[in-house]
Amino acid sequence: MLSESTEVHAPSTLAWQVDPAWKTLRGRVAIDDETQTLAARGAVLFRGLVDGKKAWESPVVRGGDAPVELPPIELANATELVLEVDPGPDSFRGDRADWLEFFVVR
């Protein structure tokens, strides 16, 4: 699964085949703190899809915002998990998105 923190730049897609033992996904998302030194601090939308269906979508997350906690995302009987990041309403500059402390509950 993901490491302690995985940084991507919007737009981005990460996909996994779901292990049958996986039951629930948990984690947090944020814009990377390094954007605080940039002119464009970033703004993105995070999304989780399970078997092609939207399971969760964040509000627009901006650089400097506190991390957003995901609700538990159910993975029981799923075959695919996709995590997406789309650019927010601003330009894509500074759209350095962090998937934080992600883990699956078995």
Side-chain angles (χ1 to χ4, degrees):
M1 200 66 211
L2 294 176
S3 62
E4 183 72 17
S5 174
T6 298
E7 181 183 322
V8 298
H9 197 288
S12 170
T13 300
L14 303 170
W16 292 269
Q17 294 301 308
V18 175
D19 183 301
W22 295 359
K23 302 298 179 212
T24 308
L25 174 72
R26 296 183 180 262
R28 300 182 308 146
V29 298
I31 297 289
D32 199 275
D33 286 342
E34 71 186 8
T35 64
Q36 297 303 305
T37 62
L38 304 175
R41 293 189 174 179
V44 302
L45 289 165
F46 292 88
R47 186 176 307 107
L49 297 111
V50 177
D51 291 338
K53 297 177 185 159
K54 183 169 56 174
W56 173 80
E57 184 172 87
S58 73
V60 174
V61 178
R62 298 182 184 281
D65 288 355
V68 175
E69 184 99 16
L70 269 74
I73 295 177
E74 292 300 317
L75 299 174
N77 303 314
T79 59
E80 182 182 51
L81 169 65
V82 175
L83 301 178
E84 298 177 335
V85 179
D86 284 331
D90 306 336
S91 74
F92 65 89
R93 291 180 152 180
D95 287 355
R96 298 176 187 171
D98 286 341
W99 297 98
L100 301 167
E101 302 167 355
F102 268 61
F103 64 96
V104 290
V105 177
R106 294 181 185 258

